[in-house]
Amino acid sequence: MFELKGEVSMNKYAIILAAGKGTRMKSKLPKVLHEVAGKTMLGHVLASVSSLETEKNIVIVGHEADRVIATLPKGTNFVKQSEQLGTGHAVKIAADLLADKEGTTLVIAGDTPLIKGETLKALLQYHESHKATATILTAITPEPTGYGRIVRGKDHTVEKIVEQKDASELEKAITEINTGTFVFDNKSLFKALNEITTDNAQGEYYLTDVIEIFKKANKTVDAYILKDFDESLGVNDRVALAQAEKIMRQRINTQHMINGVTLIDPESTYIDSDVTIGAETVIEGNVVIKGKTVIFNNVHITNGSRIIDSEIHSDSEIRNSTIENSRMSVGSNVGPYAHLRPGTVLSEEVHVGNFVEIKGSTLGKGTKAGHLTYIGNATVGEKVNFGAGTITANYDGRNKFNTEIDDFAFIGSNSTIIAPIHIGKNGLTAAGSVITEDVPDESIAIARGRQVNKIGRAKKMPHYRGK
């Protein structure tokens, strides 16, 4: 394989094919919107294309066009292909935006999520250095069935691409395949697209037919062979989607480990592509980290934890718990079996223990909620202690209300705090109380019925079994 160092200097454009329905996916969701490691396949392709610093990107949309358009980054151009008549037709409808441009155009399918930006850069550099009219990104595989075959001449130059259904037995034995990614001289591409026909087994306009047109015009057609065949994977069904997911996650996990993160069992650790993790963090098996989660240095995450779109600061610990759209500050710890729901903020050195659920609340530095507690829509000060079984009753069936608890308050076990309410600094609620009124600073609130003992009456109750 030829490699070239240096930057591509020509004007660059990209056409991303994303109009297909993806019938074999058997899904109402457009094929390119299926996710791999937390990002749509189209999103992965656009991220790789962005490394080329193109003048213009054009996404060809068709099936469920509005849903696809809604996911596009700001500034991305799109063209609707109302009728899917083949890849050649899909590229041709971008003519109004590109046909008169000088430069180089990349054409890539939106269902190839594993293609790397570095690979696309190398492809364009190769194309420019060889002064080719077209350069095909190819790959070598021992199992080429289903792929278009690269037919080379005696001088090893590309003669044509033959699709599987149109290939002879001899051509079917070729192991170099077309990945579906191309680079073209832009003006030559659109000129050739006016000459292609539907005279083939599928009755479609094949983009690959422009290769033969270039050859007949004595234009240079070259091919750049992929180093890693996995990058060529096109996802057409759920089996391939799972394969892409596995490869992408291996790639993600490997990079995190290179960056100084310890993964105890990488094969059972699932980290989305946009997650950031600092060095010296240790992650045990069966952990899922999704979305745009940011994890700082020296965090410990134990088996079974699930973290979504959250910010976990250094020296924190998460033990077998679920964290959603929340923030844990330095030195805080959660779990086991805790649940931080959206809008939760834990300040430094907060302890949240087992079977504690927190939603839409901020807990001040050093506050502790050890076990069996629900805290919702609350603002809690520093070094507050929640006893077991505490509930902030924040919802009346129609509206939600806030609870304010000031520094150093002590909430007795099995207290029910009825919002809206304010508990002052150093305030205390007696165990078993139902608190419905504000508690002043340095006061004790007792809200429970007086105990009455009926001597000997237990003998008359159904549960009685004698001495």
Side-chain angles (χ1 to χ4, degrees), residues 88-355:
H89 176 255
V91 175
K92 187 176 179 179
I93 64 173
D96 288 347
L97 294 175
L98 284 185
D100 62 342
K101 305 292 184 183
E102 295 283 352
T104 299
T105 296
L106 169 75
V107 178
I108 186 169
D111 62 359
T112 54
L114 299 178
I115 197 78
K116 295 178 181 178
E118 308 92 88
T119 298
L120 297 181
K121 280 185 176 181
L123 172 63
L124 264 70
Q125 290 165 1
Y126 183 94
H127 173 83
E128 182 182 42
S129 68
H130 284 64
K131 295 181 172 55
T133 301
T135 302
I136 309 159
L137 184 64
T138 68
I140 305 298
T141 174
E143 299 179 3
T145 302
Y147 292 97
R149 307 306 201 278
I150 302 299
V151 179
R152 292 183 181 263
K154 292 180 180 180
D155 60 355
H156 206 59
T157 58
V158 176
E159 290 293 326
K160 60 180 178 177
I161 303 172
V162 181
E163 300 299 327
Q164 172 79 26
K165 292 184 178 181
D166 300 312
S168 66
E169 290 304 312
L170 186 62
E171 289 168 337
K172 288 178 181 178
I174 296 171
T175 58
E176 185 178 7
I177 57 94
N178 170 30
T179 68
T181 297
F182 306 85
V183 179
F184 298 101
D185 172 77
N186 187 67
K187 285 190 172 181
S188 298
L189 167 64
F190 285 99
K191 182 180 178 182
L193 286 171
N194 290 323
E195 301 179 35
I196 62 175
T197 70
T198 58
D199 185 18
N200 52 61
Q202 293 284 84
E204 294 182 347
Y205 293 98
Y206 289 159
L207 175 62
T208 50
D209 284 350
V210 302
I211 302 302
E212 194 166 357
I213 292 170
F214 290 150
K215 292 300 293 185
K216 288 179 178 178
N218 294 317
K219 304 285 188 180
T220 301
V221 177
D222 216 321
Y224 179 84
I225 303 174
L226 265 174
K227 292 179 180 178
D228 181 1
F229 181 74
D230 285 344
E231 289 189 56
S232 70
L233 179 67
V235 175
N236 293 310
D237 57 28
R238 307 279 183 150
V239 176
L241 183 67
Q243 185 181 355
E245 181 87 10
K246 182 176 181 179
I247 294 167
M248 182 65 78
R249 293 200 181 279
Q250 288 174 339
R251 186 187 292 177
I252 291 167
N253 289 358
T254 297
Q255 189 59 53
H256 283 302
M257 289 187 285
I258 290 171
N259 292 342
V261 178
T262 295
L263 302 183
I264 301 300
D265 183 9
E267 291 188 3
S268 67
T269 303
Y270 304 91
I271 303 173
D272 278 356
S273 58
D274 289 334
V275 170
T276 301
I277 306 177
E280 302 291 352
T281 287
V282 177
I283 301 173
E284 297 180 5
N286 296 310
V287 168
V288 176
I289 307 175
K290 299 179 69 65
K292 296 185 181 297
T293 294
V294 177
I295 298 173
F296 289 76
N297 296 340
N298 197 37
V299 174
H300 186 197
I301 304 170
T302 74
N303 186 290
S305 294
R306 184 179 180 87
I307 306 169
I308 304 166
D309 287 319
S310 295
E311 188 175 301
I312 315 299
H313 285 257
S314 299
D315 304 314
S316 298
E317 184 175 15
I318 299 168
R319 299 188 296 275
N320 198 5
S321 295
T322 298
I323 317 292
E324 303 174 84
N325 300 92
S326 297
R327 187 175 85 228
M328 293 176 59
S329 299
V330 174
S332 56
N333 66 86
V334 168
Y337 312 116
H339 187 181
L340 302 189
R341 292 171 59 192
T344 296
V345 177
L346 305 186
S347 300
E348 295 87 347
E349 301 172 10
V350 168
H351 166 65
V352 174
N354 50 292
F355 302 105

Side-chain angles (χ1 to χ4, degrees), residues 279-457:
E280 302 291 352
T281 287
V282 177
I283 301 173
E284 297 180 5
N286 296 310
V287 168
V288 176
I289 307 175
K290 299 179 69 65
K292 296 185 181 297
T293 294
V294 177
I295 298 173
F296 289 76
N297 296 340
N298 197 37
V299 174
H300 186 197
I301 304 170
T302 74
N303 186 290
S305 294
R306 184 179 180 87
I307 306 169
I308 304 166
D309 287 319
S310 295
E311 188 175 301
I312 315 299
H313 285 257
S314 299
D315 304 314
S316 298
E317 184 175 15
I318 299 168
R319 299 188 296 275
N320 198 5
S321 295
T322 298
I323 317 292
E324 303 174 84
N325 300 92
S326 297
R327 187 175 85 228
M328 293 176 59
S329 299
V330 174
S332 56
N333 66 86
V334 168
Y337 312 116
H339 187 181
L340 302 189
R341 292 171 59 192
T344 296
V345 177
L346 305 186
S347 300
E348 295 87 347
E349 301 172 10
V350 168
H351 166 65
V352 174
N354 50 292
F355 302 105
V356 175
E357 180 179 341
I358 306 176
K359 181 192 76 68
S361 299
T362 298
L363 275 60
K365 181 177 180 180
T367 286
K368 296 180 179 180
H371 34 207
L372 303 165
T373 293
Y374 172 72
I375 303 171
N377 297 95
T379 302
V380 182
E382 294 186 7
K383 295 187 178 179
V384 173
N385 186 85
F386 288 88
T390 295
I391 296 171
T392 59
N394 61 318
Y395 183 52
D396 67 0
R398 181 174 296 176
N399 299 303
K400 292 185 178 180
F401 300 95
N402 296 323
T403 295
E404 294 183 20
I405 303 175
D406 291 347
D407 297 348
F408 313 120
F410 188 99
I411 310 301
S413 295
N414 201 33
S415 291
T416 300
I417 313 297
I418 310 296
I421 199 166
H422 174 256
I423 297 175
K425 188 173 183 180
N426 283 303
L428 183 149
T429 67
S433 293
V434 178
I435 306 299
T436 59
E437 298 178 5
D438 289 352
V439 179
D441 292 353
E442 301 178 351
S443 299
I444 298 175
I446 304 172
R448 60 191 183 209
R450 183 179 297 276
Q451 181 174 325
V452 178
N453 293 333
K454 302 291 185 179
I455 305 302
R457 291 291 295 273

